[in-house]
């Protein structure tokens, strides 16, 4: 595996471009002018698809129509857990592999998403903030109260810890070849843990270690990411929208749209798989990993397939280790079709990981696709999920973070979200204040 020591100077890793022709930094600055979440979504969508997209299941900003995979000379052997062996591993569920499992959309996510966004935008216009803003989503089980995070600096520190460990799982000893890639993965980690208003991210009022997402866009430009940076930036913007609206819509009530209920309402799993893939921004992370490792070029379907499998391998490992049942939002959830959906979920994973190998995708992308089977066992993030308590940051991680970001913030103990530490950490501060997480 040939990996360059730095992502500076390498060409594009993704051969396919979007409608927008500018840089990641220019795209970010244009998107930051948005005054509502709907405007942010529509502006990002315009950059991705252009003005003629019908906003149905053919829109590959929200959806994905998988092309037929042509076999080439495989670079790698199949992994031990595959179509022929899956029936031997009951830890991820009975039923083995079912060939021909559909990967087609049955539900158009656009009208459902826009309905939840309209509710969030209306709440912001009335009150400035929603009750769920900056609530802590690391609390398990799923029916536990969602409290205002008393110390978002803890979430920021752990997001960077998780980014370091993910990059090590994906890139080995070259995990920090690209600082922009490491910062990017940290930004992709934190919205799962905190309910962060997307416009706070775009305006720079939510920061980690004093850095904004705009800083990462500038890093991408400095490292020469070009079109790869635009793809990644639009991916993480969509992720922040998805992560926010699913938390806004989580609690039952008269205003609940039922976003995930509608996406999980059939025996098919493709709608839910793609929602979770976009909501975790594994696509943008796959591009970051490829640039960090000097891998490419590949067409976009190789990155999307790697992203899909990364999330699915993670969930399969969480099923085996009894972490998955504690997740708030499960892609296989259904009151009566859960077992059928779990079999379909495993089968789609096994089909796509097989396609990654048959297509001749680079080892780095194939490893990215099946990496969840390993990193769930190794990372503190999932040990914390399972135990329901924080694990102290190790001195080794603190030293790495100090080198990458500056001193690790000391934990604050104020429980009030109006305290100075919480204002700056949770994004309620201005850019001129000095106390950002």
């Amino acid at each position: 595996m040939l990996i360059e020591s730095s992502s500076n100077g390498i060409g594009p890793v993704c051969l396919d471009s979007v409608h927008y022709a500018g840089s990641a930094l220019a795209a970010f600055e244009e998107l930051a002018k948005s005054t509502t979440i709907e405007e942010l979504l529509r502006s990002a969508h315009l950059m991705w698809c252009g003005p003629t997209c019908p906003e149905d299941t053919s829109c590959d900003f929200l959806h994905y129509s998988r092309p037929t995979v042509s076999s080439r000379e495989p670079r790698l052997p199949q992994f031990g857990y595959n179509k022929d062996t899956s029936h031997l591993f009951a830890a991820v569920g009975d039923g083995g592999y079912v060939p021909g499992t559909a990967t087609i959309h049955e539900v158009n996510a656009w009208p459902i998403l826009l309905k939840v966004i309209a509710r969030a935008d209306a709440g912001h216009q009335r009150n400035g903030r929603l009750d769920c803003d900056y609530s802590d989503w690391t609390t398990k089980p799923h029916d536990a109260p969602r409290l205002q995070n008393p110390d978002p600096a803890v979430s920021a520190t752990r997001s960077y810890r998780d980014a370091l460990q993910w990059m090590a799982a994906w890139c080995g000893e070259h995990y920090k070849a690209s600082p922009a890639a490491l910062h990017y993965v940290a930004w992709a980690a934190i919205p799962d843990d905190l309910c962060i208003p997307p416009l706070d991210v775009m305006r720079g009022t939510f920061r980690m270690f004093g850095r904004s997402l705009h800083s990462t866009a500038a890093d991408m430009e400095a490292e020469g990411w070009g079109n790869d940076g635009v793809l990644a930036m639009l991916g993480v913007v969509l992720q922040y929208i998805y992560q926010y609206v699913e938390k806004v819509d989580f609690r039952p009530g008269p205003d609940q749209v039922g976003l995930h209920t509608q996406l999980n309402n059939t025996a098919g799993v493709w709608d839910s798989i793609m929602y979770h893939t976009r909501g975790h921004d594994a696509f943008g992370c796959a591009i970051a990993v490829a640039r960090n490792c000097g891998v490419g070029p590949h067409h976009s379907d190789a990155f999307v397939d790697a992203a899909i499998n990364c999330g699915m391998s993670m969930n399969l490992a969480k099923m085996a280790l009894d972490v998955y049942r504690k997740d708030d939002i499960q892609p296989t959830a259904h009151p009566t079709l859960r077992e059928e959906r779990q079999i379909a979920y495993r089968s789609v994973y096994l089909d796509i990981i097989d396609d990654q190998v048959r297509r001749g995708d680079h080892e780095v992308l194939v490893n990215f696709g099946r990496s969840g089977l390993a990193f769930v066992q190794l990372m503190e993030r999932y040990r914390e999920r399972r135990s329901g308590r924080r694990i102290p940051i190790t001195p080794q991680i603190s030293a790495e973070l100090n080198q990458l970001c500056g001193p690790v913030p000391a934990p604050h103990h104020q429980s009030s979200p109006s305290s100075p530490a919480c204002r700056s950490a949770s994004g309620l501060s201005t850019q001129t204040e000095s106390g950002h997480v």
Side-chain angles (χ1 to χ4, degrees), residues 83-104:
K83 296 176 181 179
D84 298 320
T85 64
S86 61
H87 65 286
L88 303 175
F89 297 94
V92 293
D94 297 326
Y97 166 73
V98 176
T101 301
T103 54
I104 57 172

Side-chain angles (χ1 to χ4, degrees), residues 86-121:
S86 61
H87 65 286
L88 303 175
F89 297 94
V92 293
D94 297 326
Y97 166 73
V98 176
T101 301
T103 54
I104 57 172
H105 286 285
E106 300 174 78
V107 179
N108 181 6
W110 268 105
I112 307 170
L113 184 63
L114 288 171
K115 192 172 182 180
V116 185
I117 287 173
R119 173 186 168 191
D121 280 337

Side-chain angles (χ1 to χ4, degrees), residues 66-297:
R66 285 198 79 228
T68 301
V69 173
S70 299
S71 294
R72 301 173 190 166
E73 185 65 29
R75 303 187 190 196
L76 300 167
Q78 286 290 356
F79 189 53
Y81 179 66
N82 58 51
K83 296 176 181 179
D84 298 320
T85 64
S86 61
H87 65 286
L88 303 175
F89 297 94
V92 293
D94 297 326
Y97 166 73
V98 176
T101 301
T103 54
I104 57 172
H105 286 285
E106 300 174 78
V107 179
N108 181 6
W110 268 105
I112 307 170
L113 184 63
L114 288 171
K115 192 172 182 180
V116 185
I117 287 173
R119 173 186 168 191
D121 280 337
H124 288 147
Q125 290 169 2
R126 284 194 307 268
N127 307 314
R129 293 277 163 187
L130 302 185
D131 290 342
C132 62
D133 287 358
Y134 296 101
S135 53
D136 183 355
W137 285 72
T138 61
T139 306
K140 307 296 178 184
H142 65 272
D143 56 353
R146 298 297 173 192
L147 303 177
Q148 177 81 25
N149 191 317
D151 189 4
V154 171
S155 294
T157 302
R158 279 162 172 76
S159 292
Y160 268 93
R161 174 204 64 189
D162 296 345
L164 285 164
Q165 292 180 344
W166 269 317
M167 289 295 285
W170 295 328
C171 305
E173 67 272 24
H174 303 278
Y175 63 96
K176 53 183 178 182
S178 165
L182 256 173
H183 288 299
Y184 180 90
V185 173
W187 279 101
I190 197 166
D192 190 48
D193 299 344
L194 284 179
C195 183
I196 305 170
L199 295 182
D200 284 4
V201 175
M202 303 309 296
R203 293 165 180 163
T205 53
F206 177 81
R207 300 184 175 201
M208 294 191 290
F209 289 90
R211 291 177 52 88
S212 65
L213 185 57
H214 180 274
S215 305
T216 298
D219 291 341
M220 290 175 172
E221 185 155 309
E223 289 188 9
W225 284 41
N227 179 69
D228 295 334
V230 177
L231 291 168
M233 188 54 60
L234 293 177
V236 78
V237 168
L238 182 61
Q239 177 197 21
Y240 272 83
I241 295 171
Y242 270 25
Q243 287 281 346
Y244 188 64
V245 299
E246 74 179 18
K247 294 172 175 62
V248 169
D249 193 53
F250 183 73
R251 285 294 176 199
D255 295 328
Q256 187 183 38
V257 173
L259 172 66
H260 283 283
T261 300
Q262 294 188 58
L263 293 175
N264 287 20
N265 203 30
T266 67
V269 291
W270 193 241
D271 293 306
S272 186
I273 286 171
M274 286 313 304
Y275 183 91
H276 283 263
T277 300
R278 301 300 193 200
H280 293 147
D281 189 35
F283 173 76
C285 290
I287 289 176
V289 164
R291 289 203 63 85
N292 185 82
C293 295
V295 170

Side-chain angles (χ1 to χ4, degrees), residues 360-377:
D361 292 355
H362 194 282
E363 177 184 355
V364 166
L365 292 182
V366 178
N367 174 66
F368 185 87
R370 59 193 183 201
S371 61
L373 297 174
F375 67 62
V376 168
Q377 302 177 68

Side-chain angles (χ1 to χ4, degrees), residues 66-72 301 305 354-356 358-360:
R66 285 198 79 228
T68 301
V69 173
S70 299
S71 294
R72 301 173 190 166
D301 56 329
D305 281 354
D354 181 69
D355 285 347
Q356 281 193 272
R358 288 194 306 110
R359 188 170 49 212

Side-chain angles (χ1 to χ4, degrees), residues 166 313-315 317-319 321 323 371-383:
W166 269 317
S313 64
M314 174 191 71
N315 280 327
K318 287 162 73 174
M319 291 175 192
L321 296 176
V323 178
S371 61
L373 297 174
F375 67 62
V376 168
Q377 302 177 68
L378 297 173
M379 290 175 61
E380 282 92 329
R381 179 183 183 90
Y382 303 100
R383 291 166 59 201

